[in-house]
Amino acid sequence: MNPTAIVPPGSTIGVFGSGQLGRMFTMVAKQMGYRVVIYSPDADSPAGQVADREIVAQYDDQSAVEDFARQCDVITLEFENIPVETVGWAGAITPVHPDARVLHVAQDRIIEKQTLADAGLPVTPFRPVFNADDVRRAADELGYPIVLKTARSGYDGKGQRILRDPESIEPALAELGSDRLVAEKMIDFQREVSILVYRSRNGSVGTYPLIENHHANHILDYSICPAAGSDTLRDAARQIALTTAKSLDLVGLLCIELFVQSDDRLLINELAPRPHNSGHLTIEAFPCCQYQQLLRAICGLPLGTEPQTRPAAMANLLGDVWDGGAPAFENALAIEAVQLHLYGKQDAVPGRKMGHLTATADSIEAALANVLAARDQLKR
């Protein structure tokens, strides 16, 4: 595709994946006049419910993937575990952003960390490990405790174990069930932050302000934007984001998760080349949210540059909220400037992301207090 060509409203956007991120992207795309086709193995999915068409097929079905690609003017993805081969089949017919190379890096923690380190970016000290002896050597070099992670497919705390002594190595390897792992030095960090960077086909690039994230049981609990911190910290995060996007030749949207150390130095934890849970609050807090930025970037439209309108906070709604029956949404929505987003999922399983609440206010403190109070009010 000509990097200066535009995919105008009225065109068809394809999306690999059909969860809540795809749902919110689809809703924004349709608002701007695009048609959207979803491809995933799941029927009646969160994204499929709002798309123009939902193709239900396996990712290894080359014929179905190629037929899907022929229906689209450009394709994106809503999660990074789409097989690289699948993206290659589609990309031979229709441009896919982010492309197979970006996925290749983001899908494997060893490749991801080495790629970032080679670009001169700050990553947590790590060692690739493939057996118990490798883990022992890594622990000797990095020092206990270390975090042992599967190289592929981990999320929300899954696929990782903290090792505090040599006796924990064998049980952790048995639990993780993989022979391709990465051992990381356990970082004594003050807080976790993320930054969203978006880059167009023509090379135009921008970032959102730094977002601060708080987790519970390894799952994002709430986020606030803008994150507290000095201008130096914010500038460092922005420079990391811009360098990462350029080094990957990114087209689309990328979230970079970072650890803030006690001296305000930043270390990259992980990359997610897609919309991100922490970026949900951009829907209310920015004229151009993360989903519209992704759409603009892959379609070659001018990127949104408008500043944040008000401080914002987002709180996840997990299936646990439904334990006592249907939540009291009317109570939550009675609180000023609180917005509700549900994802169209039928089964409220504990730990499953069912939706989120966002609040905006004149201060971060007020926004956070309101969104947490609204979530508390959901219990009948």
Side-chain angles (χ1 to χ4, degrees):
M1 178 183 287
N2 182 341
T4 61
I6 291 174
V7 181
S11 303
T12 298
I13 311 294
V15 181
F16 279 123
S18 60
Q20 61 265 22
L21 301 176
R23 179 188 182 93
M24 286 178 271
F25 172 82
T26 298
M27 292 167 73
V28 167
K30 289 180 67 65
Q31 176 185 323
M32 290 180 63
Y34 289 89
R35 295 179 60 79
V36 180
V37 181
I38 300 295
Y39 187 106
S40 90
D42 304 312
D44 191 31
S45 62
Q49 292 166 8
V50 297
D52 293 280
R53 186 178 179 196
E54 180 181 41
I55 296 175
V56 180
Q58 299 299 316
Y59 292 122
D60 61 1
D61 186 337
Q62 182 174 356
S63 176
V65 169
E66 291 174 345
D67 181 61
F68 160 69
R70 282 188 284 268
Q71 299 177 46
C72 306
D73 296 294
V74 66
I75 298 169
T76 190
L77 48 102
E78 66 112 38
F79 79 115
E80 61 268 37
N81 288 325
I82 308 296
V84 171
E85 186 177 39
T86 301
V87 173
W89 293 334
I93 297 169
T94 301
V96 182
H97 303 302
D99 62 19
R101 177 181 176 272
V102 175
L103 279 192
H104 176 68
V105 172
Q107 285 180 357
D108 189 293
R109 287 189 172 103
I110 296 173
I111 298 172
E112 176 183 274
K113 290 186 177 298
Q114 193 60 59
T115 300
L116 295 171
D118 290 347
L121 291 160
V123 298
T124 53
F126 73 98
R127 300 289 187 276
V129 295
F130 304 96
N131 54 49
D133 288 339
D134 287 346
V135 178
R136 293 186 185 95
R137 280 191 290 271
D140 289 341
E141 295 171 7
L142 299 174
Y144 286 104
I146 61 171
V147 184
L148 191 62
K149 300 179 179 180
T150 55
R152 301 176 69 89
S153 300
Y155 67 97
D156 287 347
K158 298 177 176 65
Q160 58 183 274
R161 296 291 183 275
I162 297 174
L163 308 187
R164 301 187 183 279
D165 51 54
E167 289 69 33
S168 58
I169 293 175
E170 295 288 356
L173 289 173
E175 289 176 20
L176 293 173
S178 174
D179 60 0
R180 184 173 174 81
L181 304 134
V182 61
E184 299 179 15
K185 183 177 180 64
M186 192 167 176
I187 302 301
D188 182 19
F189 59 89
Q190 282 192 327
R191 55 202 173 105
E192 294 183 53
V193 295
S194 58
I195 187 164
L196 293 157
V197 56
Y198 40 90
R199 186 169 182 267
S200 180
R201 292 201 320 270
N202 61 21
S204 298
V205 65
T207 68
Y208 286 100
L210 203 58
I211 300 168
E212 184 171 328
N213 303 311
H214 294 259
H215 293 75
N217 299 318
H218 301 288
I219 301 174
L220 182 63
D221 187 38
Y222 68 85
S223 298
I224 58 174
C225 184
S230 65
D231 288 342
T232 301
L233 177 71
R234 296 188 185 98
D235 290 344
R238 177 175 167 80
Q239 191 55 54
I240 287 171
L242 297 176
T243 302
T244 302
K246 184 177 180 179
S247 68
L248 294 175
D249 197 20
L250 172 77
V251 174
L253 182 76
L254 174 74
C255 179
I256 305 174
E257 300 175 19
L258 301 146
F259 295 135
V260 182
Q261 300 178 90
S262 57
D263 57 2
D264 265 8
R265 284 187 301 133
L266 293 164
L267 288 174
I268 299 174
N269 179 29
E270 290 183 350
L271 305 181
R274 52 166 172 80
H276 195 260
N277 199 170
S278 66
H280 290 336
L281 53 73
T282 61
I283 296 173
E284 280 79 24
F286 292 84
C288 188
C289 70
Q290 66 168 343
Y291 304 100
Q292 189 179 143
Q293 291 286 22
L294 172 58
L295 181 67
R296 288 177 178 229
I298 66 173
C299 291
L301 298 172
L303 298 175
T305 58
E306 299 88 349
Q308 186 169 359
T309 55
R310 299 180 83 197
M314 182 281 300
N316 265 329
L317 301 180
L318 304 182
D320 312 66
V321 173
W322 278 254
D323 281 350
F329 295 119
E330 66 277 15
N331 294 342
L333 293 174
I335 296 176
E336 181 180 1
V338 167
Q339 298 291 327
L340 170 67
H341 298 261
L342 293 180
Y343 303 152
K345 299 179 181 179
Q346 300 304 312
D347 299 321
V349 178
R352 188 184 194 195
K353 295 170 184 171
M354 301 294 293
H356 70 269
L357 296 169
T358 304
T360 57
D362 292 332
S363 69
I364 281 293
E365 294 77 14
L368 181 59
N370 284 352
V371 82
L372 295 181
R375 187 167 63 181
D376 289 342
Q377 291 296 318
L378 291 173
K379 293 287 188 180
R380 292 188 183 274

